[in-house]
């Protein structure tokens, strides 16, 4: 009896040990398989490097998955309330990353209302009585190291696209990573000239650039980069984001990703009304962005120009000038290009009238200095000055008619007489008061003078304009004094003539 009990115990113990051995073998086999499935990933630049090169990192895929799951906040900023695919896009993301952190940024209440999971936050950016500063401070809501911006209407099939983007962002030479959803890719160089209020886009073939011009894309950055931008979430997004980043010399790495990893979702704005509405909103947002960032002139890839400053039916971009020094000079800028363009058009209109009606005239003051120095209007000038024989005024119908009251010509320019006829002025329009001055001179004993008008150039010897010379100015050859440098020396120093910027002398 005892022998039988002992034998049963031995059998039970043996079976238990065998089962434990089998479990151990299964566990070790799975561990080995995992190590094969997640090998270390070597991330390098396309140059020869050593094992200690700062541009080369060894990153485990297990760490990659941890970063994606725990250290990325996904943000939707680029979408429209009236036609979007947000719910399906979010579902696609949550399908591969169930616990992903998602924010939806909006300027106003989203309507129609989106039926979303309570773990997805909607944050409003616009100020309101119930939306205080802390609530609108988006970066304070984000606790992760990385931020990924997602375009509307995308479908994800694998986390591999995120892994590749994280790998690229680990390189010290990379600040922004972008992936385009779809076939076409537009990687552009951005040239920003703050002084001249100008933004220019230039096409290029490299995959490292300043601006990715595609509607559907993913953008990965480190959170700390957004702190350096004036408004990281400004619309239109991501255009405003890229422009701000390019000003700070941040570069974008455009990755080539298999179309099997990420695909376009539902096609948006398919009906005429939504398509028109989207185009109008895009134009309005570009206009508002240019106003905020200080751009008056945008040169597109095809060299076409979009103007975002003043027009003939709007006031000029600057107010009343005090002490002959416009406000923009103190801001470190030149004349806004739209105002300069208006001044050029006004100058061409006036000079054409003087030439066609055979009036004797010559450039004066800084207008002559600009022609002498660069054949153009000085980039900070806001008016053109011209001298003319007073006795020749009657040759021009527009000048004659303006002697009693202002008149508007067929092109919308305003002609008027100021200061008892010693000064005539031609304005770009009734609203936009960019102007050209016409000073009338009378000959007294070999001296040309402007009567009863105090200017720095109110008199000079008649020999300077007998005979007149010609000089290039705003793409035309126009009349000028015959000894230009000596004439300029009556009113400017040699240093100012050689370097007109010294005229500004701002302290």
């Amino acid at each position: 009896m005892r022998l039988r009990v002992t034998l049963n115990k031995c059998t039970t113990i043996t079976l238990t040990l065998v089962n434990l051995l089998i479990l151990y073998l299964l566990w070790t086999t799975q561990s080995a398989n995992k190590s094969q499935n997640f090998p270390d990933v070597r991330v390098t630049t396309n140059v020869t490097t050593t094992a200690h090169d700062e541009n080369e990192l060894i990153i485990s895929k297990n760490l990659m998955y941890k970063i994606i799951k725990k250290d990325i906040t996904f943000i939707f900023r680029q979408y429209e309330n009236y036609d979007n695919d947000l719910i399906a896009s979010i579902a696609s993301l949550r399908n591969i990353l169930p616990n992903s952190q998602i924010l939806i940024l909006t300027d106003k209440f989203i309507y129609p209302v989106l039926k979303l999971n309570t773990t997805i936050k909607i944050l409003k950016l616009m100020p309101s009585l119930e939306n205080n500063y802390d609530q609108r401070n988006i970066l304070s809501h984000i606790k992760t190291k990385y931020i990924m911006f997602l375009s509307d209407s995308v479908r994800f099939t694998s986390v591999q696209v995120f892994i590749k983007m994280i790998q690229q962002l680990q390189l010290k030479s990379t600040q922004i990573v972008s992936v385009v959803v779809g076939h076409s890719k537009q990687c552009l160089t951005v040239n920003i000239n703050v002084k001249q209020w100008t933004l220019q886009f230039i096409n290029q073939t490299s995959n490292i650039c300043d601006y990715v011009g595609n509607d559907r894309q993913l953008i990965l950055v480190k959170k700390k980069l957004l702190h350096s931008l004036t408004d990281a979430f400004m619309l239109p997004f991501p255009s405003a984001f890229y422009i701000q980043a390019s000003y700070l010399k941040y570069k974008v790495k455009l990755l080539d990703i298999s179309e099997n990893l990420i695909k376009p979702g539902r096609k948006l704005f398919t009906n005429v009304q939504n398509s028109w509405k989207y185009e109008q909103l895009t134009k309005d947002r570009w206009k508002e962005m240019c106003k905020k960032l200080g751009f008056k002139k945008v040169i597109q890839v095809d060299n076409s120009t979009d103007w975002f400053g003043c027009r003939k039916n709007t006031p000029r971009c600057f107010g009343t000038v005090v002490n002959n020094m416009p406000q923009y000079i103190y801001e470190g800028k030149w004349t806004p290009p739209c105002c300069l363009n208006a001044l050029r058009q006004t100058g061409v209109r006036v000079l054409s009238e003087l030439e066609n009606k055979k009036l004797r005239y010559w450039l004066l003051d800084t207008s002559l200095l600009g022609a002498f120095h660069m054949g153009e209007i000085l980039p900070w000038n806001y008016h053109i000055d011209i001298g003319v024989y007073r006795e020749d005024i009657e040759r021009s119908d527009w000048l004659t008619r303006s002697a009693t009251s202002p008149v508007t010509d067929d092109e919308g320019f305003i002609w008027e007489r100021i200061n008892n006829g010693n000064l005539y002025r031609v304005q770009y329009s009734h609203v936009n008061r960019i102007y050209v001055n016409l000073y009338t001179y009378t000959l007294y004993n070999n001296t040309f003078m402007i009567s009863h008008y105090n200017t720095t150039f109110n008199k000079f010897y008649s020999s300077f304009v007998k005979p007149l010379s010609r000089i290039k100015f705003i793409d035309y050859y126009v009349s000028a004094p015959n000894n230009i440098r000596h004439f300029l020396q009556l009113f400017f120093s040699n240093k100012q003539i050689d370097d007109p910027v010294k005229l500004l002398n701002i302290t």
Side-chain angles (χ1 to χ4, degrees):
M1 187 70 177
R2 289 182 180 178
L3 181 62
R4 183 176 299 173
V5 172
T6 304
L7 182 61
N8 288 339
K9 285 183 178 180
C10 291
T11 303
T12 302
I13 293 171
T14 302
L15 289 174
T16 301
L17 291 174
V18 169
N19 286 331
L20 289 174
L21 180 60
I22 292 171
L23 287 173
Y24 174 77
L25 291 174
L26 287 173
W27 179 78
T28 55
T29 302
Q30 286 182 339
S31 298
N33 288 336
K34 284 184 178 180
S35 64
Q36 291 175 359
N37 291 332
F38 302 101
D40 286 350
V41 178
R42 183 177 296 272
V43 185
T44 66
T45 57
N46 293 325
V47 295
T48 303
T49 60
T50 67
H52 302 288
D53 195 311
E54 66 177 1
N55 287 324
E56 182 175 290
L57 299 169
I58 307 299
I59 306 168
S60 90
K61 278 195 175 180
N62 289 324
L63 177 58
M64 287 295 175
Y65 277 99
K66 182 179 178 181
I67 290 174
I68 293 168
K69 291 178 180 179
K70 302 293 185 182
D71 214 11
I72 297 181
T73 298
F74 296 89
I75 295 180
F76 286 91
R77 178 60 175 137
Q78 179 188 353
Y79 62 93
E80 302 298 337
N81 286 2
Y82 56 88
D83 188 6
N84 64 68
D85 193 34
L86 285 176
I87 292 178
S89 299
I90 292 170
S92 175
L93 176 61
R94 282 284 172 92
N95 187 48
I96 59 172
L97 291 173
N99 298 315
S100 52
Q101 303 175 62
I102 300 175
L103 294 179
I104 298 176
L105 306 186
T106 181
D107 291 314
K108 55 184 179 180
F109 186 81
I110 299 178
Y111 184 82
V113 177
L114 297 175
K115 296 180 180 180
L116 300 170
N117 188 294
T118 55
T119 61
I120 299 170
K121 294 182 180 179
I122 299 178
L123 301 179
K124 289 193 294 183
L125 299 175
M126 294 297 288
S128 66
L129 292 177
E130 68 275 9
N131 194 30
N132 62 39
Y133 174 80
D134 289 335
Q135 291 171 319
R136 290 183 286 109
N137 184 8
I138 303 302
L139 293 179
S140 69
H141 293 271
I142 299 172
K143 307 304 180 183
T144 59
K145 181 179 180 180
Y146 303 96
I147 294 174
M148 182 171 291
F149 293 101
L150 305 178
S151 296
D152 189 13
S153 195
V154 292
R155 302 292 184 268
F156 304 96
T157 60
S158 170
V159 295
Q160 290 299 317
V161 62
F162 305 135
I163 290 177
K164 292 179 182 295
M165 295 179 77
I166 287 288
Q167 289 172 0
Q168 183 63 46
L169 196 61
Q170 303 310 306
L171 303 180
K172 290 188 177 181
S173 59
T174 304
Q175 296 92 30
I176 305 170
V177 181
S178 174
V179 169
V180 170
V181 183
H183 297 286
S184 62
K185 296 177 177 62
Q186 191 180 36
C187 210
L188 307 176
T189 295
V190 175
N191 288 337
I192 294 175
N193 191 323
V194 173
K195 186 181 286 288
Q196 296 183 4
W197 312 73
T198 301
L199 171 67
Q200 183 180 18
F201 295 101
I202 300 173
N203 209 352
Q204 61 150 314
T205 56
S206 172
N207 61 354
I208 299 177
C209 58
D210 302 317
Y211 182 105
V212 179
N214 299 77
D215 289 337
R216 293 182 185 177
Q217 58 179 294
L218 315 183
I219 302 171
L220 181 67
V221 295
K222 293 179 180 178
K223 176 186 172 181
K224 64 180 181 181
L225 181 144
L226 300 187
H227 284 282
S228 63
L229 307 184
T230 184
D231 185 352
F233 310 108
M234 184 187 297
L235 293 177
F237 194 91
S239 297
F241 166 79
Y242 281 135
I243 291 167
Q244 294 173 71
S246 68
Y247 177 70
L248 298 176
K249 308 302 180 184
Y250 295 133
K251 290 294 182 181
V252 185
K253 173 68 175 182
L254 180 58
L255 292 184
D256 287 323
I257 298 292
S258 171
E259 295 180 13
N260 294 326
L261 300 180
I262 181 170
K263 299 178 180 180
R266 178 174 66 84
K267 190 173 182 181
L268 302 172
F269 320 122
T270 54
N271 67 54
V272 175
Q273 181 180 359
N274 284 350
S275 177
W276 175 85
K277 192 173 183 179
Y278 178 71
E279 289 178 5
Q280 291 301 120
L281 280 173
T282 300
K283 290 178 182 179
D284 292 343
R285 287 165 181 165
W286 265 92
K287 183 177 180 180
E288 185 64 20
M289 178 197 70
C290 288
K291 181 180 178 180
K292 290 179 178 178
L293 298 182
F295 298 119
K296 307 288 187 179
K297 181 180 181 181
V298 178
I299 304 171
Q300 303 292 353
V301 174
D302 61 0
N303 287 323
S304 63
T305 299
D306 295 328
W307 296 95
F308 293 95
C310 63
R311 301 176 183 273
K312 209 172 182 71
N313 60 349
T314 65
R316 67 188 186 186
C317 296
F318 55 96
T320 302
V321 177
V322 179
N323 296 327
N324 295 317
M325 195 70 71
Q327 176 182 334
Y328 54 78
I329 297 295
Y330 293 100
E331 295 174 353
K333 299 180 180 181
W334 293 157
T335 306
C338 46
C339 297
L340 209 55
N341 184 56
L343 183 56
R344 287 173 60 89
Q345 292 183 43
T346 309
V348 169
R349 175 68 184 92
V350 172
L351 290 168
S352 297
E353 176 72 10
L354 300 179
E355 291 281 343
N356 293 336
K357 300 302 173 64
K358 310 297 184 185
L359 277 75
R360 291 167 290 178
Y361 73 91
W362 53 92
L363 294 180
L364 284 171
D365 200 36
T366 54
S367 301
L368 179 62
L369 181 59
F372 178 75
H373 188 72
M374 55 189 292
E376 260 295 349
I377 302 169
L378 292 175
W380 58 85
N381 266 8
Y382 59 95
H383 60 80
I384 294 173
D385 293 320
I386 298 173
V388 63
Y389 278 70
R390 186 170 188 175
E391 63 193 71
D392 289 356
I393 290 295
E394 62 185 18
R395 299 182 185 180
S396 167
D397 293 338
W398 292 112
L399 289 174
T400 302
R401 290 170 59 183
S402 66
T404 54
S405 63
V407 294
T408 304
D409 66 18
D410 298 336
E411 299 177 45
F413 295 95
I414 309 298
W415 301 69
E416 61 181 339
R417 176 188 174 189
I418 298 174
N419 196 37
N420 298 320
N422 294 312
L423 172 64
Y424 287 80
R425 180 168 288 170
V426 183
Q427 296 179 166
Y428 186 49
S429 71
H430 179 71
V431 178
N432 192 326
R433 303 180 75 83
I434 294 289
Y435 60 86
V436 173
N437 286 327
L438 289 165
Y439 295 93
T440 59
Y441 285 82
T442 304
L443 182 61
Y444 296 102
N445 299 323
N446 294 323
T447 301
F448 272 108
M449 300 183 63
I450 306 175
S451 301
H452 311 296
Y453 200 84
N454 185 24
T455 69
T456 56
F457 44 85
N458 63 347
K459 64 180 180 179
F460 54 86
Y461 289 118
S462 60
S463 58
F464 281 108
V465 294
K466 290 186 175 181
L468 291 165
S469 67
R470 304 291 280 183
I471 192 171
K472 189 176 181 181
F473 185 64
I474 53 176
D475 297 331
Y476 295 89
Y477 280 91
V478 301
S479 295
N482 57 48
N483 195 331
I484 295 175
R485 187 175 185 93
H486 286 175
F487 185 82
L488 289 171
Q489 286 172 337
L490 299 176
F491 316 109
F492 304 106
S493 68
N494 283 322
K495 288 184 178 180
Q496 291 171 334
I497 294 172
D498 295 331
D499 185 9
V501 174
K502 294 188 181 331
L503 285 169
L504 302 179
N505 192 29
I506 299 175
T507 57

